[in-house]
Amino acid sequence: MPSSLTASGDTRRFLDMARQLLGESRVFATDVDQAAYSDQMGFDLAAHRPAGAVAARSVEEIQTLLAAATQTGVSLWPISRGKNFGYGGTAPVQAGAVILDLSQMKQIVEINEELGYCVVEPGVGFYDLYDELERRGHPLWMSVPGNAWGSVAGNALERGVGPQPYGDHAAQICGMEVVLADGTVVRTGAGAMQDNPAWHTTRNSYGPGWDQIFCQSNYGIVTRIGLWLMPAPPATMSLSLQMPDPDDIEKGIAMFAPLRLRGLIDHDAAWVSYIGIASYAGTRASYWEGDGLLPESEGAKIRQRLDIGWWNAEINLYGPEEVIAAKARLIDAAAREAGITPSGDWRVWHQGDPFELSKAGIPGTRGMSMIDWYGGRGGHIGFSPIMPSDARQAADQFRRTRALYEEHGVDYYGAFGVGGRQTVAVNEILYDRDSEDHRRRVTALFEALIRDTHAAGFGEYRTHIDFMDQVAATFDFNNHAIGTFNNRIKDVLDPAGIIAPGKQGIWPARLR
Ligand code: ADP
């Protein structure tokens, strides 16, 4: 173990206290453990190498661990299932922190079929929730992210997205239980009243609403979360669309945004560039063996071979068939007007047909095969700016982003998730993490993207642990007043600065 990573005396004392509380089997602090809790897709594992991990199973254990951390001055980095790949996985911002692994808190506390919500502990994965809903005959449908091996709670807390109607996961949060750094257990919203049955049904309770301050922050440990789920619709319809040219993105966004705003498209539909789709189906070398950027002529062969466009999207509709059939006709008309030709007809599913043919959120992990694109031990990092659903601005963002990818010798892969008011671009940067050359170019590309996007007036909605300070620094109104505000809240809620220092660029006083 390199000396810079040696657990300090305090860390050793903390881990001993944790062993007494949890037993040997739930304290992980060997070299192998430290490696296992590092960012499995990162370049610089040492910079974020944790001192170990402790796995709590209850609120009481979390309270005792927080007290021990305060006593010993150790930082705790909470994770739910730790699958936040592309943004840091299980790893903390600061090397030497101890991971507070909540993946063993796996209770599905409640599923309310009538009122359309679930209440889960942090360790409940998308697969766990899916299995339980399946056991009940799918009365409620989930929204799942592209790679669904993570946790329902952790993904919502990070503002993960899915291509379903309830796909803005943080927006579905309603009522939480949170353990603060001093061990106080708080229930938000209506849950602040003992046994109030409205806890997970309304965000409008008495006084300020606090759910969102625990998203992308380091203000508390979330031990229970209420999330709204969609009632099963009687039918779904889906339509695939393709566009042949990179510059078509402008008309693609211009077509989707007003339909979404007016409720005619039921979810944030995404335009995905062809390399994304190609990367799920094969490695780069399986298409072309050359070096350097994938030439456009080879890209054209890939698109032909896979029968896909430069941009590809799927629109899904959910509801009674007479309702969604009417929406489908309006969407057809909008596509004709935009000059976008659907690839095929609408596919219709009804209750009673095989479930996997529906447009329900069904967990899968196939998307992760994208990391094999360049060969070697693959990795990806997400650059995720958010902007208005203004087709011109979003198209400009695409052109500049693609140009920067090319300047840095990286094949462009991006997706634009089009909402009614906002569009999220998730740009995946794929690499071989054992290549020093990739590391240099990818880091330079990422930093260039932060600068360029900031200059255009936008910010990322989420970022990798390597870049949390840099992205925080782009939120610069009134001399970075929001950063100062965030730090002030941190100092009040966590004066010893033990929970996830540096997350989202929020630092406790002792480390500023
Ligand atoms: P997932 O497994 O769903 O991908 P993670 O467990 O990796 O999600 O969580 C992503 C990030 O969200 C973590 O790095 C942490 O910063 C934050 N987080 C996750 N779970 C909690 C929690 N229960 N309380 C507070 N923060 C959390």
Side-chain angles (χ1 to χ4, degrees):
M1 186 163 59
S3 60
S4 64
L5 303 175
T6 307
S8 71
D10 281 350
T11 306
R12 245 179 248 125
R13 195 151 68 89
F14 171 82
L15 291 171
D16 282 343
M17 291 161 94
R19 279 188 194 97
Q20 283 201 345
L21 174 71
L22 308 171
E24 274 299 332
S25 68
R26 286 195 278 142
V27 176
F28 311 94
T30 64
D31 256 8
V32 173
D33 296 327
Q34 291 177 351
Y37 279 93
S38 293
D39 179 3
Q40 301 306 324
M41 296 196 183
F43 284 119
D44 192 352
L45 300 197
H48 303 287
R49 191 174 171 107
V54 293
R57 285 189 184 150
S58 68
V59 166
E60 294 72 26
E61 286 179 356
I62 292 170
Q63 289 171 312
T64 309
L65 290 166
L66 285 165
T70 305
Q71 218 178 315
T72 54
V74 163
S75 307
L76 292 180
W77 183 274
I79 58 164
S80 286
R81 280 179 48 78
K83 305 295 185 193
N84 194 22
F85 293 122
Y87 302 103
T90 42
V93 165
Q94 268 199 322
V98 173
I99 306 304
L100 177 57
D101 182 340
L102 304 172
S103 63
Q104 297 189 26
M105 294 179 71
K106 284 189 78 74
Q107 202 196 342
I108 297 174
V109 181
E110 183 184 358
I111 291 182
N112 191 314
E113 297 182 15
E114 289 70 40
L115 297 172
Y117 68 80
C118 67
V119 184
V120 294
E121 291 188 334
V124 173
F126 288 97
Y127 284 98
D128 301 320
L129 183 57
Y130 182 82
D131 287 348
E132 177 57 22
L133 290 170
E134 182 167 58
R135 199 184 62 74
R136 292 163 176 253
H138 298 295
L140 300 172
W141 286 15
M142 307 158 57
S143 167
V144 299
N147 284 295
W149 46 15
S151 65
V152 175
N155 187 273
L157 290 172
E158 283 297 287
R159 308 203 181 106
V161 294
Q164 287 87 25
Y166 285 36
D168 177 350
H169 297 167
Q172 309 316 321
I173 295 174
C174 183
M176 297 181 178
E177 178 184 85
V178 187
V179 186
L180 303 179
D182 68 358
T184 305
V185 180
V186 175
R187 289 185 171 179
T188 62
M193 181 187 290
Q194 189 72 44
D195 299 327
N196 187 329
W199 186 9
H200 304 296
T201 64
T202 179
R203 300 196 186 92
N204 299 335
S205 188
Y206 189 70
W210 294 107
D211 283 344
Q212 292 296 325
I213 77 154
F214 297 105
C215 294
Q216 287 200 11
S217 78
N218 48 15
Y219 295 152
I221 315 285
V222 177
T223 49
R224 198 179 266 208
I225 193 166
L227 280 162
W228 290 350
L229 299 173
M230 178 173 75
T236 66
M237 291 178 73
S238 60
L239 183 71
S240 299
L241 299 155
Q242 299 177 354
M243 301 188 296
D245 294 314
D247 284 337
D248 289 336
I249 192 62
E250 187 164 338
K251 71 177 179 187
I253 291 172
M255 175 193 157
F256 283 4
L259 293 170
R260 177 72 175 129
L261 186 66
R262 286 163 179 73
L264 297 173
I265 296 182
D266 294 339
H267 62 114
D268 287 0
W271 286 109
V272 183
S273 71
Y274 76 94
I275 286 183
I277 293 167
S279 71
Y280 308 155
T283 62
R284 187 176 128 120
S286 71
Y287 300 107
W288 183 61
E289 300 259 21
D291 291 327
L293 275 179
L294 186 82
E296 193 45 38
S297 56
E298 295 300 324
K301 285 186 207 158
I302 293 177
R303 296 195 292 278
Q304 199 173 22
R305 177 166 150 192
L306 299 178
D307 193 18
I308 56 176
W310 214 100
W311 294 106
N312 305 273
E314 189 178 76
I315 295 177
N316 301 317
L317 301 172
Y318 302 77
E321 198 180 335
E322 58 272 33
V323 174
I324 58 179
K327 288 182 176 183
R329 282 194 297 276
L330 294 166
I331 292 167
D332 284 338
R336 265 196 309 277
E337 198 177 316
I340 298 171
T341 319
S343 40
D345 294 327
W346 287 92
R347 298 177 295 279
V348 185
W349 172 92
H350 299 99
Q351 284 286 352
D353 294 344
F355 192 70
E356 58 279 11
L357 300 181
S358 75
K359 289 296 153 187
I362 299 178
T365 53
R366 182 161 170 248
M368 195 46 92
S369 45
M370 68 181 175
I371 65 169
D372 293 330
W373 182 244
Y374 282 110
R377 286 194 311 157
H380 74 108
I381 183 169
F383 181 75
S384 314
I386 193 159
M387 63 208 101
S389 279
D390 174 306
R392 171 67 63 80
Q393 288 182 36
D396 283 349
Q397 176 74 21
F398 157 67
R399 286 185 205 102
R400 295 194 322 275
T401 300
R402 183 179 176 215
L404 284 170
Y405 267 67
E406 293 185 356
E407 200 178 297
H408 290 82
V410 178
D411 295 331
Y412 172 79
Y413 163 17
F416 284 80
V418 186
R421 296 185 175 82
Q422 95 292 335
T423 286
V424 184
V426 177
N427 300 285
E428 290 296 1
I429 303 174
L430 307 175
Y431 50 80
D432 168 1
R433 65 193 163 102
D434 294 317
S435 158
E436 188 48 38
D437 176 48
H438 279 201
R439 171 207 175 92
R440 231 177 314 106
R441 286 189 287 117
V442 164
T443 308
L445 169 59
F446 205 93
E447 289 178 344
L449 287 170
I450 295 174
R451 281 192 301 273
D452 168 81
T453 302
H454 182 208
F458 308 121
E460 270 202 288
Y461 91 99
R462 183 180 187 183
T463 205
H464 186 270
I465 49 175
D466 270 342
F467 300 100
M468 285 189 169
D469 285 335
Q470 281 182 55
V471 172
T474 63
F475 290 85
D476 54 5
F477 169 75
N478 190 18
N479 195 23
H480 305 92
I482 198 71
T484 310
F485 176 80
N486 290 340
N487 287 342
R488 284 169 69 187
I489 303 285
K490 179 70 177 166
D491 290 344
V492 171
L493 292 181
D494 181 11
I498 52 170
I499 301 178
K503 183 166 166 59
Q504 252 65 35
I506 306 170
W507 292 94
R510 73 178 168 97
L511 295 169
R512 286 205 287 275

